[in-house]
Amino acid sequence: MRKQQCYIVGSGEWPQNLKIKKGSFIIAADGGYDILMSKGIRPHILLGDMDSIKKIPNNIPLLRFPVRKDDTDISLAIKLCRRLRFNNVVLVGISGSRYDQFTATLQLMANASQKGINISAELPGQRLYALHNGTLKLNKLKKNKVLSVLAPYSLAKGVDIKNCSYGLTNAVLSNAFPLGVSNLGTGESPIISVREGTLLIFVEK
């Protein structure tokens, strides 16, 4: 697997003060190309069905797909990351007015984590992680900053949450009840573990 970080940029909201790490590989998903250009950032690859981009460039490697397809552009980009053997993937520009698209991307993140990809997303005001059968140690979270831990599938077993206002030990989280929503930071580094299952972890910046 490549240690280099891969950013996938969609056409949604760009988080304030976000800076893409130098040396990262960048994939523009359709209209994400326009967002990148407005920030003065040149992607390595442009892919998608090209239904939301203003003008298709002729100087960027292009992977074009039909409009009628089963995959979203973000899904296609994640699949490309797997083929290129990137293990650390960051999604940007996945939120906006299309709540169905955002929910679909949450499903894609959960699925990618099950395939062994370290996948996260930069959102306006939040950072999102998908975690499968493992442990995530975060940077120090300021007191009263919000952290939510949710189960996208039926059950997540053996869930531990440490160094937050509300701790959990060997708990079972379900997609039927949001037990892990609206936890709070304490100034320490939160540690979230899941023995069996998948979690989505939202962290306020």
Side-chain angles (χ1 to χ4, degrees), residues 166-179:
Y166 306 97
L168 284 178
T169 301
N170 198 29
V172 176
L173 296 187
S174 163
N175 63 357
F177 184 74
L179 176 64

Side-chain angles (χ1 to χ4, degrees), residues 40-52:
I41 302 171
R42 178 187 173 93
H44 295 88
I45 293 177
L46 166 62
L47 64 69
D49 54 28
M50 306 302 137
D51 68 343
S52 62

